[in-house]
């Protein structure tokens, strides 16, 4: 009877090891996805960060990068712990899973909070950025962000191209007679902003505000979906790790 119980325990340990190994592989892939999304956000979309009032969006991306790198490192530790059947490594693996889960929870809360106030922040800040900061000394990054925003989204102004008529830059001599910045033009050439006809500049309903708000909302949704997916894997992993740890304790003691 005792021999049969030992064989049954051996079979359960092998079964749990294979399950945890498969989980750990998907967990590692999920970590790579989290890392990729975070890096993509900062590298490809960093040009828009200059027009945002808070750093919450960028902070969420940095947290994703940190969590993704930690997930991948933890995944390697998990493979070693499973193959060696060391209870100490399994305990460390479990603790790291818990830490990563908490980090992703913080990132998720930040993304949710930012999503709730996204519309109000953009309405208050974007128009002020266009009218007060664009083209001003010391605001090179903001100017570049607005130019890229208008070209990428094919828009002009916060709500419409008329917003630029209140711009400090457009009202100054530096504008050289422009009605809008050159980045509003469908084909950008020097001083093309002097002609504000719809055939020359972008006339988009809702302006850049609507397009940027939709872009950020979609991106936050993607970040949240990836984070939730990895978090679900982590919960499964923590359960499997606990089960394997208990079985190993019973097996050796």
């Amino acid at each position: 009877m005792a021999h049969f119980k030992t064989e049954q325990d051996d079979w359960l340990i092998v079964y749990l090891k294979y399950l945890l190994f498969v989980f750990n592989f998907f967990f590692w892939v999920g970590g790579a996805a989290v890392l990729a999304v975070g890096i993509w956000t900062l590298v490809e979309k960093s040009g828009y960060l200059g027009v945002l009032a808070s750093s919450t969006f960028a902070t969420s991306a940095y947290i994703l990068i940190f969590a993704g790198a930690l997930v991948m490192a933890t995944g390697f530790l998990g493979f070693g712990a499973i193959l060696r059947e060391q209870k100490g490594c399994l305990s460390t693996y479990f603790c790291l899973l818990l830490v990563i889960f908490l980090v992703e929870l913080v990132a998720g809360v930040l993304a949710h909070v930012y999503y709730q106030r996204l519309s109000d922040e953009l309405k208050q800040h974007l128009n002020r950025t266009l009218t007060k900061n664009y083209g001003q000394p010391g605001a090179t990054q903001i100017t570049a962000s607005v130019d890229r925003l208008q070209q990428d989204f094919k828009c002009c102004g916060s709500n419409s191209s008329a917003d630029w008529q209140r711009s400090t830059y457009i009202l100054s001599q530096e504008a050289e007679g422009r009605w809008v910045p050159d980045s509003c033009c469908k084909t950008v050439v020097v001083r093309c902003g002097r002609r504000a006809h719809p055939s020359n500049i972008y006339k988009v309903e809702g302006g850049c505000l609507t397009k940027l708000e939709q872009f950020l909302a979609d991106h936050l949704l993607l970040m949240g979906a990836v984070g939730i997916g990895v978090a679900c894997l982590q919960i499964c992993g923590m359960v499997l790790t606990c089960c394997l740890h208990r079985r190993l304790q019973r097996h050796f003691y």
Side-chain angles (χ1 to χ4, degrees), residues 164-191:
W164 285 109
Q165 301 312 304
R166 301 186 298 275
S167 168
T168 303
Y169 167 74
I170 294 299
L171 295 174
S172 69
Q173 292 182 348
E174 294 179 7
E176 299 179 333
R178 291 177 175 88
W179 288 90
V180 294
D182 292 343
S183 57
C184 281
C185 299
K186 295 177 180 178
T187 303
V188 178
V189 294
V190 179
R191 290 185 289 277

Side-chain angles (χ1 to χ4, degrees), residues 239-253:
V239 172
L240 288 173
T241 304
C242 284
C243 292
L244 181 57
H245 191 276
R246 288 184 178 181
R247 283 293 171 183
L248 287 174
Q249 278 186 322
R250 292 180 182 179
H251 184 74
F252 290 109
Y253 293 99

Side-chain angles (χ1 to χ4, degrees), residues 147 150-151 154-157 161 164 180-188 192-193 200-203:
D147 285 339
Q150 294 191 140
Q151 278 295 297
K154 303 184 187 306
C155 58
C156 184
S161 59
W164 285 109
V180 294
D182 292 343
S183 57
C184 281
C185 299
K186 295 177 180 178
T187 303
V188 178
C192 63
N200 184 50
I201 67 172
Y202 294 113
K203 294 277 189 179

Side-chain angles (χ1 to χ4, degrees), residues 31-195:
V34 169
L35 182 64
V37 169
I39 293 175
W40 177 65
T41 299
L42 291 181
V43 174
E44 291 294 324
K45 309 304 174 184
S46 59
Y48 308 137
L49 300 180
V51 300
L52 303 179
S54 72
S55 60
T56 310
F57 187 77
T59 301
S60 297
Y62 281 118
I63 291 176
L64 279 181
I65 291 174
F66 172 75
L70 189 58
V71 164
M72 295 184 73
T74 303
F76 285 119
L77 175 64
F79 286 126
I82 295 166
L83 293 174
R84 296 180 181 181
E85 297 184 7
Q86 292 181 346
K87 292 177 290 180
C89 287
L90 286 172
S91 299
T92 303
Y93 180 61
F94 177 85
C95 291
L96 285 174
L97 286 178
L98 184 60
V99 169
I100 295 168
F101 180 79
L102 293 175
V103 168
E104 289 177 342
L105 183 64
V106 171
V109 170
L110 283 174
H112 179 72
V113 169
Y114 186 67
Y115 180 80
Q116 296 299 315
R117 66 183 190 189
L118 175 62
S119 180
D120 291 337
E121 177 182 315
L122 287 177
K123 286 176 183 177
Q124 294 173 9
H125 188 71
L126 185 58
N127 191 57
R128 184 170 65 250
T129 299
L130 268 59
T131 57
K132 303 295 184 184
N133 302 119
Y134 182 89
Q136 300 306 299
T140 306
Q141 183 181 356
I142 291 176
T143 301
S145 295
V146 173
D147 285 339
R148 181 178 175 183
L149 174 69
Q150 294 191 140
Q151 278 295 297
D152 287 357
F153 291 140
K154 303 184 187 306
C155 58
C156 184
S158 178
N159 295 291
S160 70
S161 59
D163 294 332
W164 285 109
Q165 301 312 304
R166 301 186 298 275
S167 168
T168 303
Y169 167 74
I170 294 299
L171 295 174
S172 69
Q173 292 182 348
E174 294 179 7
E176 299 179 333
R178 291 177 175 88
W179 288 90
V180 294
D182 292 343
S183 57
C184 281
C185 299
K186 295 177 180 178
T187 303
V188 178
V189 294
V190 179
R191 290 185 289 277
C192 63
R194 288 179 173 180
R195 184 168 173 264

